[in-house]
Amino acid sequence: YGWFCLLGVLTAQAGHAFGLLCAALGKDQNVAFGIFSAFIFPWMFYAGLMINYDDIPAYFEWLHWTSAFKYVFTSFAVSVFDGATLVCPEGVSCPYPSGAVVLEQFAMKPSHRTRSVIALVVHIVVCRILSWLFLVLAAKRINVFAVCKAALFRNRRAITPSKVTA
């Protein structure tokens, strides 16, 4: 139960941190949503939900390792299936008699849970630091633009129409 509570909080924090990063990178909602979509769909595809870890092509492995979905999925799967005994109805062939077989099917090990939690915390911290950095840069750009704009309008006011020659 403790792992589920921890993973639920970390999942929410990872989503919030990445959403904040997209908002900091985008100039408006549409750009932020475009950035969000550009990352989320490949991350979901290569997180182990739709394709097995062992089947990911070498040139897409960076998507696999940078995906927060991978760490959330691995942590929850190990929490659910580690040491579990699955019960099948009588007279039915049971393809997965234990949780260990399910984890083996997804190329996961019980030792991956702790590593996944640590990687998820690192993902959260990195996204929040990058968000802060981009927001600071955006604020400085706005201040620079505001100063330039004020200087420009101040000079325009000093020029009266009678002094302007055609």
Side-chain angles (χ1 to χ4, degrees):
Y1 178 75
W3 278 107
F4 273 87
C5 291
L6 176 66
L7 292 173
V9 169
L10 289 177
T11 302
Q13 290 299 315
H16 182 265
F18 184 67
L20 184 63
L21 178 61
C22 292
L25 286 171
K27 294 178 182 178
D28 61 15
Q29 289 175 320
N30 295 328
V31 174
F33 185 71
I35 293 168
F36 181 81
S37 299
F39 280 95
I40 288 299
F41 293 121
W43 275 351
M44 284 174 53
F45 188 74
Y46 291 107
L49 299 166
M50 297 179 212
I51 189 169
N52 194 334
Y53 295 156
D54 295 335
D55 296 335
I56 296 174
Y59 47 88
F60 283 135
E61 281 193 17
W62 66 274
L63 283 168
H64 168 70
W65 292 109
T66 59
S67 172
F69 289 105
K70 170 199 184 303
Y71 303 114
V72 170
F73 178 60
T74 301
S75 299
F76 274 117
V78 169
S79 293
V80 169
F81 292 113
D82 185 30
T85 303
L86 305 176
V87 179
C88 296
E90 286 187 36
V92 176
S93 174
C94 195
Y96 302 108
S98 70
V101 176
V102 175
L103 292 177
E104 188 178 308
Q105 174 72 28
F106 284 105
M108 296 178 193
K109 298 177 185 161
S111 62
H112 290 172
R113 179 172 46 190
T114 305
R115 184 175 66 183
S116 293
V117 168
I118 292 168
L120 197 56
V121 169
V122 168
H123 181 81
I124 292 166
V125 170
V126 167
C127 281
R128 291 199 187 269
I129 289 172
L130 288 175
S131 299
W132 175 80
L133 178 69
F134 287 122
L135 286 172
V136 166
L137 290 175
K140 287 189 180 206
R141 270 185 276 155
I142 290 170
N143 288 341
V144 169
F145 290 142
V147 169
C148 292
K149 186 176 178 182
L152 180 67
F153 286 131
R154 201 173 324 131
N155 290 338
R156 278 191 179 172
R157 288 184 199 135
I159 300 173
T160 59
S162 62
K163 294 183 181 178
V164 177
T165 59

PDB file of all heavy atoms in Angstrom, residues 80-86 96-110:
ATOM      1  N   VAL A  80       2.490  -4.582  -8.415  1.00  0.00           N
ATOM      2  CA  VAL A  80       1.313  -5.437  -8.540  1.00  0.00           C
ATOM      3  C   VAL A  80       1.698  -6.901  -8.694  1.00  0.00           C
ATOM      4  O   VAL A  80       1.134  -7.782  -8.039  1.00  0.00           O
ATOM      5  CB  VAL A  80       0.443  -4.986  -9.744  1.00  0.00           C
ATOM      6  CG1 VAL A  80      -0.626  -6.005 -10.057  1.00  0.00           C
ATOM      7  CG2 VAL A  80      -0.175  -3.641  -9.468  1.00  0.00           C
ATOM      8  N   PHE A  81       2.657  -7.202  -9.575  1.00  0.00           N
ATOM      9  CA  PHE A  81       2.911  -8.583  -9.965  1.00  0.00           C
ATOM     10  C   PHE A  81       4.038  -9.283  -9.220  1.00  0.00           C
ATOM     11  O   PHE A  81       4.163 -10.495  -9.317  1.00  0.00           O
ATOM     12  CB  PHE A  81       3.181  -8.667 -11.470  1.00  0.00           C
ATOM     13  CG  PHE A  81       1.986  -8.348 -12.299  1.00  0.00           C
ATOM     14  CD1 PHE A  81       1.946  -7.217 -13.090  1.00  0.00           C
ATOM     15  CD2 PHE A  81       0.871  -9.175 -12.279  1.00  0.00           C
ATOM     16  CE1 PHE A  81       0.843  -6.919 -13.853  1.00  0.00           C
ATOM     17  CE2 PHE A  81      -0.243  -8.889 -13.044  1.00  0.00           C
ATOM     18  CZ  PHE A  81      -0.252  -7.751 -13.830  1.00  0.00           C
ATOM     19  N   ASP A  82       4.862  -8.562  -8.479  1.00  0.00           N
ATOM     20  CA  ASP A  82       5.965  -9.204  -7.760  1.00  0.00           C
ATOM     21  C   ASP A  82       5.409 -10.097  -6.650  1.00  0.00           C
ATOM     22  O   ASP A  82       4.743  -9.632  -5.734  1.00  0.00           O
ATOM     23  CB  ASP A  82       6.912  -8.162  -7.178  1.00  0.00           C
ATOM     24  CG  ASP A  82       8.136  -8.789  -6.536  1.00  0.00           C
ATOM     25  OD1 ASP A  82       8.552  -9.869  -6.980  1.00  0.00           O
ATOM     26  OD2 ASP A  82       8.676  -8.180  -5.581  1.00  0.00           O
ATOM     27  N   GLY A  83       5.643 -11.385  -6.763  1.00  0.00           N
ATOM     28  CA  GLY A  83       5.197 -12.353  -5.771  1.00  0.00           C
ATOM     29  C   GLY A  83       3.728 -12.726  -5.869  1.00  0.00           C
ATOM     30  O   GLY A  83       3.214 -13.448  -5.009  1.00  0.00           O
ATOM     31  N   ALA A  84       3.049 -12.241  -6.891  1.00  0.00           N
ATOM     32  CA  ALA A  84       1.615 -12.540  -7.029  1.00  0.00           C
ATOM     33  C   ALA A  84       1.404 -13.912  -7.647  1.00  0.00           C
ATOM     34  O   ALA A  84       2.167 -14.363  -8.486  1.00  0.00           O
ATOM     35  CB  ALA A  84       0.950 -11.476  -7.903  1.00  0.00           C
ATOM     36  N   THR A  85       0.356 -14.583  -7.214  1.00  0.00           N
ATOM     37  CA  THR A  85      -0.070 -15.848  -7.809  1.00  0.00           C
ATOM     38  C   THR A  85      -1.396 -15.587  -8.499  1.00  0.00           C
ATOM     39  O   THR A  85      -2.356 -15.140  -7.868  1.00  0.00           O
ATOM     40  CB  THR A  85      -0.239 -16.929  -6.734  1.00  0.00           C
ATOM     41  OG1 THR A  85       0.989 -17.074  -6.031  1.00  0.00           O
ATOM     42  CG2 THR A  85      -0.631 -18.248  -7.360  1.00  0.00           C
ATOM     43  N   LEU A  86      -1.450 -15.843  -9.779  1.00  0.00           N
ATOM     44  CA  LEU A  86      -2.655 -15.580 -10.554  1.00  0.00           C
ATOM     45  C   LEU A  86      -3.508 -16.841 -10.615  1.00  0.00           C
ATOM     46  O   LEU A  86      -2.997 -17.940 -10.822  1.00  0.00           O
ATOM     47  CB  LEU A  86      -2.281 -15.103 -11.957  1.00  0.00           C
ATOM     48  CG  LEU A  86      -1.348 -13.886 -11.986  1.00  0.00           C
ATOM     49  CD1 LEU A  86      -0.964 -13.558 -13.416  1.00  0.00           C
ATOM     50  CD2 LEU A  86      -2.000 -12.684 -11.337  1.00  0.00           C
ATOM     51  N   TYR A  96      -0.372 -17.184 -17.746  1.00  0.00           N
ATOM     52  CA  TYR A  96       0.420 -16.491 -16.743  1.00  0.00           C
ATOM     53  C   TYR A  96       0.082 -17.044 -15.357  1.00  0.00           C
ATOM     54  O   TYR A  96      -0.772 -16.508 -14.654  1.00  0.00           O
ATOM     55  CB  TYR A  96       0.142 -14.986 -16.776  1.00  0.00           C
ATOM     56  CG  TYR A  96       0.419 -14.359 -18.113  1.00  0.00           C
ATOM     57  CD1 TYR A  96      -0.618 -13.940 -18.931  1.00  0.00           C
ATOM     58  CD2 TYR A  96       1.717 -14.191 -18.568  1.00  0.00           C
ATOM     59  CE1 TYR A  96      -0.361 -13.363 -20.158  1.00  0.00           C
ATOM     60  CE2 TYR A  96       1.986 -13.627 -19.788  1.00  0.00           C
ATOM     61  CZ  TYR A  96       0.940 -13.211 -20.586  1.00  0.00           C
ATOM     62  OH  TYR A  96       1.201 -12.643 -21.808  1.00  0.00           O
ATOM     63  N   PRO A  97       0.759 -18.099 -14.928  1.00  0.00           N
ATOM     64  CA  PRO A  97       0.427 -18.682 -13.626  1.00  0.00           C
ATOM     65  C   PRO A  97       0.913 -17.847 -12.441  1.00  0.00           C
ATOM     66  O   PRO A  97       0.417 -17.998 -11.336  1.00  0.00           O
ATOM     67  CB  PRO A  97       1.129 -20.043 -13.663  1.00  0.00           C
ATOM     68  CG  PRO A  97       2.234 -19.880 -14.646  1.00  0.00           C
ATOM     69  CD  PRO A  97       1.774 -18.871 -15.637  1.00  0.00           C
ATOM     70  N   SER A  98       1.876 -16.967 -12.676  1.00  0.00           N
ATOM     71  CA  SER A  98       2.386 -16.150 -11.571  1.00  0.00           C
ATOM     72  C   SER A  98       2.737 -14.760 -12.076  1.00  0.00           C
ATOM     73  O   SER A  98       2.898 -14.526 -13.277  1.00  0.00           O
ATOM     74  CB  SER A  98       3.629 -16.803 -10.949  1.00  0.00           C
ATOM     75  OG  SER A  98       4.713 -16.737 -11.845  1.00  0.00           O
ATOM     76  N   GLY A  99       2.912 -13.858 -11.138  1.00  0.00           N
ATOM     77  CA  GLY A  99       3.292 -12.496 -11.480  1.00  0.00           C
ATOM     78  C   GLY A  99       4.690 -12.423 -12.059  1.00  0.00           C
ATOM     79  O   GLY A  99       4.988 -11.542 -12.874  1.00  0.00           O
ATOM     80  N   ALA A 100       5.544 -13.347 -11.666  1.00  0.00           N
ATOM     81  CA  ALA A 100       6.911 -13.364 -12.197  1.00  0.00           C
ATOM     82  C   ALA A 100       6.912 -13.595 -13.705  1.00  0.00           C
ATOM     83  O   ALA A 100       7.727 -13.022 -14.433  1.00  0.00           O
ATOM     84  CB  ALA A 100       7.728 -14.437 -11.490  1.00  0.00           C
ATOM     85  N   VAL A 101       5.991 -14.406 -14.185  1.00  0.00           N
ATOM     86  CA  VAL A 101       5.886 -14.664 -15.629  1.00  0.00           C
ATOM     87  C   VAL A 101       5.436 -13.398 -16.356  1.00  0.00           C
ATOM     88  O   VAL A 101       5.926 -13.082 -17.443  1.00  0.00           O
ATOM     89  CB  VAL A 101       4.916 -15.842 -15.898  1.00  0.00           C
ATOM     90  CG1 VAL A 101       4.719 -16.055 -17.383  1.00  0.00           C
ATOM     91  CG2 VAL A 101       5.415 -17.105 -15.233  1.00  0.00           C
ATOM     92  N   VAL A 102       4.517 -12.651 -15.759  1.00  0.00           N
ATOM     93  CA  VAL A 102       4.060 -11.398 -16.358  1.00  0.00           C
ATOM     94  C   VAL A 102       5.220 -10.407 -16.435  1.00  0.00           C
ATOM     95  O   VAL A 102       5.439  -9.757 -17.467  1.00  0.00           O
ATOM     96  CB  VAL A 102       2.885 -10.795 -15.563  1.00  0.00           C
ATOM     97  CG1 VAL A 102       2.495  -9.431 -16.107  1.00  0.00           C
ATOM     98  CG2 VAL A 102       1.702 -11.740 -15.569  1.00  0.00           C
ATOM     99  N   LEU A 103       5.961 -10.268 -15.345  1.00  0.00           N
ATOM    100  CA  LEU A 103       7.102  -9.348 -15.342  1.00  0.00           C
ATOM    101  C   LEU A 103       8.156  -9.776 -16.365  1.00  0.00           C
ATOM    102  O   LEU A 103       8.763  -8.935 -17.029  1.00  0.00           O
ATOM    103  CB  LEU A 103       7.717  -9.267 -13.941  1.00  0.00           C
ATOM    104  CG  LEU A 103       6.854  -8.601 -12.877  1.00  0.00           C
ATOM    105  CD1 LEU A 103       7.546  -8.661 -11.526  1.00  0.00           C
ATOM    106  CD2 LEU A 103       6.535  -7.178 -13.265  1.00  0.00           C
ATOM    107  N   GLU A 104       8.363 -11.079 -16.498  1.00  0.00           N
ATOM    108  CA  GLU A 104       9.307 -11.595 -17.487  1.00  0.00           C
ATOM    109  C   GLU A 104       8.833 -11.263 -18.904  1.00  0.00           C
ATOM    110  O   GLU A 104       9.641 -10.928 -19.769  1.00  0.00           O
ATOM    111  CB  GLU A 104       9.458 -13.102 -17.315  1.00  0.00           C
ATOM    112  CG  GLU A 104      10.541 -13.719 -18.158  1.00  0.00           C
ATOM    113  CD  GLU A 104      10.659 -15.206 -17.879  1.00  0.00           C
ATOM    114  OE1 GLU A 104      10.783 -15.568 -16.693  1.00  0.00           O
ATOM    115  OE2 GLU A 104      10.591 -15.984 -18.846  1.00  0.00           O
ATOM    116  N   GLN A 105       7.535 -11.343 -19.130  1.00  0.00           N
ATOM    117  CA  GLN A 105       6.961 -11.008 -20.442  1.00  0.00           C
ATOM    118  C   GLN A 105       7.262  -9.557 -20.822  1.00  0.00           C
ATOM    119  O   GLN A 105       7.522  -9.241 -21.963  1.00  0.00           O
ATOM    120  CB  GLN A 105       5.450 -11.252 -20.417  1.00  0.00           C
ATOM    121  CG  GLN A 105       4.722 -10.824 -21.661  1.00  0.00           C
ATOM    122  CD  GLN A 105       4.991 -11.737 -22.840  1.00  0.00           C
ATOM    123  OE1 GLN A 105       5.274 -12.909 -22.664  1.00  0.00           O
ATOM    124  NE2 GLN A 105       4.912 -11.187 -24.035  1.00  0.00           N
ATOM    125  N   PHE A 106       7.236  -8.656 -19.836  1.00  0.00           N
ATOM    126  CA  PHE A 106       7.497  -7.238 -20.074  1.00  0.00           C
ATOM    127  C   PHE A 106       8.965  -6.866 -19.879  1.00  0.00           C
ATOM    128  O   PHE A 106       9.298  -5.689 -19.908  1.00  0.00           O
ATOM    129  CB  PHE A 106       6.632  -6.371 -19.153  1.00  0.00           C
ATOM    130  CG  PHE A 106       5.207  -6.284 -19.573  1.00  0.00           C
ATOM    131  CD1 PHE A 106       4.233  -6.987 -18.884  1.00  0.00           C
ATOM    132  CD2 PHE A 106       4.831  -5.508 -20.659  1.00  0.00           C
ATOM    133  CE1 PHE A 106       2.909  -6.907 -19.259  1.00  0.00           C
ATOM    134  CE2 PHE A 106       3.511  -5.429 -21.039  1.00  0.00           C
ATOM    135  CZ  PHE A 106       2.546  -6.124 -20.347  1.00  0.00           C
ATOM    136  N   ALA A 107       9.827  -7.852 -19.662  1.00  0.00           N
ATOM    137  CA  ALA A 107      11.271  -7.634 -19.452  1.00  0.00           C
ATOM    138  C   ALA A 107      11.524  -6.738 -18.238  1.00  0.00           C
ATOM    139  O   ALA A 107      12.344  -5.830 -18.281  1.00  0.00           O
ATOM    140  CB  ALA A 107      11.922  -7.069 -20.709  1.00  0.00           C
ATOM    141  N   MET A 108      10.813  -7.004 -17.145  1.00  0.00           N
ATOM    142  CA  MET A 108      10.976  -6.253 -15.899  1.00  0.00           C
ATOM    143  C   MET A 108      11.456  -7.187 -14.800  1.00  0.00           C
ATOM    144  O   MET A 108      11.191  -8.384 -14.830  1.00  0.00           O
ATOM    145  CB  MET A 108       9.654  -5.628 -15.467  1.00  0.00           C
ATOM    146  CG  MET A 108       9.107  -4.613 -16.396  1.00  0.00           C
ATOM    147  SD  MET A 108       7.530  -4.023 -15.755  1.00  0.00           S
ATOM    148  CE  MET A 108       6.906  -3.160 -17.153  1.00  0.00           C
ATOM    149  N   LYS A 109      12.162  -6.604 -13.839  1.00  0.00           N
ATOM    150  CA  LYS A 109      12.641  -7.350 -12.679  1.00  0.00           C
ATOM    151  C   LYS A 109      12.191  -6.620 -11.418  1.00  0.00           C
ATOM    152  O   LYS A 109      12.040  -5.397 -11.431  1.00  0.00           O
ATOM    153  CB  LYS A 109      14.158  -7.455 -12.710  1.00  0.00           C
ATOM    154  CG  LYS A 109      14.686  -8.205 -13.907  1.00  0.00           C
ATOM    155  CD  LYS A 109      16.186  -8.214 -13.917  1.00  0.00           C
ATOM    156  CE  LYS A 109      16.673  -8.881 -15.197  1.00  0.00           C
ATOM    157  NZ  LYS A 109      18.039  -8.567 -15.498  1.00  0.00           N
ATOM    158  N   PRO A 110      12.007  -7.347 -10.324  1.00  0.00           N
ATOM    159  CA  PRO A 110      11.624  -6.679  -9.073  1.00  0.00           C
ATOM    160  C   PRO A 110      12.621  -5.608  -8.624  1.00  0.00           C
ATOM    161  O   PRO A 110      12.232  -4.636  -7.982  1.00  0.00           O
ATOM    162  CB  PRO A 110      11.551  -7.828  -8.062  1.00  0.00           C
ATOM    163  CG  PRO A 110      11.228  -9.025  -8.891  1.00  0.00           C
ATOM    164  CD  PRO A 110      11.948  -8.802 -10.197  1.00  0.00           C
TER     165      PRO A 110
END
